[in-house]
Amino acid sequence: MAPPPPSPDALLRPGLLERVFSPDGLEGLHLDNGLCTARIFLQGAHLAEFATPGGPPWLFLSRNSAFAPGKPIRGGVPLVFPWFAENTGQPDLPLHGLARIRPWQWVSGSVEQNRPTVLRFESPATLPGQPDLPCDLAVTFTLGDSLEIAFEGRNPTDLPVEIETAFHTYFAVADVRAVSILGLEEREFADKTRSRQVRREPAAPLRIEEETDRVYTDAPGPFAIRDEAGAREFLLTAEGSCSAVVWNPWIAKASRMPDFGDDEWKQMLCLETGNLGPAALRLGPGESFRQVLRCELRPSP
Ligand code: BG6
């Protein structure tokens, strides 16, 4: 019999990689490898914080977020799987699927000071006490002076499955009213703030001037988020995904969200990348998906 894999606990080192717990009992890891700091919770394999030395956070995280078992975290990078938004067949099921509120296990990694850290998490399709998922899931983070997240899944059943996937990334910006998004020019979208009316973006970069909730089923990237007030620009490349979502709740919706500060809409922009709606993935028995997001940050040009 093959020996069991070594416990990743051997990688823990004070000051470099430590276990952390939220007051409500969510377990996570905190990393400080000299290139970046990061905090990942095991529930949802959820990257909640990421920053490079001397700079503001890359990811928005609400001061009102829950960090409790079974509740989604408001910020960072929630994983959307196996459906996006409402489950149309069963509207009582959680929004954005089950992956972001599911227990995951930290299974392996490689950690050295001043080198990109790799951390891998898994959640099998069948877990005691949890609803079944259509795939065995794995997420691998590479955390250095840039960020890479790889989300993988395999259909372990004898039947084909249809799934939606996304990184619901909350980017931190200095003022969303002074942001341009490049990469969505002339793309068609369903406008969720206007009864899903289908519209097309003009040739210019997108600016956020009102509540914005747009689903682009065909927008594979690459993207840039120019944060003019923050004098910085996120560069995003996506692999294995062809859809995007842009979301900012603006004033009225922000005030209705219990886990979000009334004024926090100015400091965040969700640019989500995934496979949504007509671009949902169909996996035959034993088939896999792999979707990757790479983020770099540079001063504004
Ligand atoms: C976006 C949706 O992806 O997520 C929005 O398009 C939704 O409609 C937003 O409001 C936040 O969703 P949740 O479930 O995290 O509150």
Side-chain angles (χ1 to χ4, degrees), residues 188-202:
E188 207 170 74
F189 62 94
D191 189 343
K192 289 177 74 178
T193 68
R194 291 176 175 78
S195 313
R196 306 192 68 93
Q197 191 188 335
V198 176
R199 300 164 58 200
R200 188 176 289 277
E201 294 292 1

Side-chain angles (χ1 to χ4, degrees), residues 47 59 76-79 140-142 146-151 166-171 220-223 235-241 243 271-274 290-296:
L47 176 65
L59 302 173
V77 190
L79 296 173
T140 307
F141 297 94
T142 306
S146 62
L147 169 64
E148 182 184 296
I149 314 174
F151 184 22
F167 296 117
H168 192 308
T169 313
Y170 286 76
F171 290 95
F223 306 101
L235 302 174
L236 313 176
T237 47
E239 198 182 293
S241 64
S243 310
L271 176 48
E272 309 166 37
T273 50
R290 182 168 197 271
Q291 111 161 62
V292 182
L293 176 67
R294 294 191 186 87
C295 306
E296 289 171 45

Side-chain angles (χ1 to χ4, degrees), residues 116-259:
T117 295
V118 179
L119 298 172
R120 181 178 168 90
F121 299 81
E122 292 179 357
S123 194
T126 304
L127 258 185
Q130 296 289 323
D132 282 354
L133 293 181
C135 289
D136 292 321
L137 298 178
V139 172
T140 307
F141 297 94
T142 306
L143 307 148
D145 57 9
S146 62
L147 169 64
E148 182 184 296
I149 314 174
F151 184 22
E152 296 164 280
R154 179 181 171 275
N155 172 8
T157 73
D158 296 335
L159 298 169
V161 295
E162 186 170 309
I163 52 170
E164 291 178 294
T165 69
F167 296 117
H168 192 308
T169 313
Y170 286 76
F171 290 95
V173 295
D175 185 342
V176 76
R177 295 164 296 187
V179 160
S180 302
I181 305 163
L182 289 79
L184 296 166
E185 296 82 358
E186 299 183 88
R187 296 284 170 176
E188 207 170 74
F189 62 94
D191 189 343
K192 289 177 74 178
T193 68
R194 291 176 175 78
S195 313
R196 306 192 68 93
Q197 191 188 335
V198 176
R199 300 164 58 200
R200 188 176 289 277
E201 294 292 1
L206 175 64
R207 310 277 297 184
I208 307 294
E209 291 160 342
E210 57 179 349
E211 181 186 345
T212 303
D213 196 352
R214 301 182 176 192
V215 180
Y216 307 79
T217 48
D218 179 22
F223 306 101
I225 301 173
R226 257 182 214 157
D227 174 11
E228 291 160 16
R232 61 184 192 165
E233 179 175 51
F234 294 99
L235 302 174
L236 313 176
T237 47
E239 198 182 293
S241 64
C242 64
S243 310
V245 179
V246 174
W247 179 60
N248 179 281
W250 210 250
I251 302 160
K253 184 161 178 174
S255 69
R256 294 195 299 272
M257 290 162 49
D259 59 347

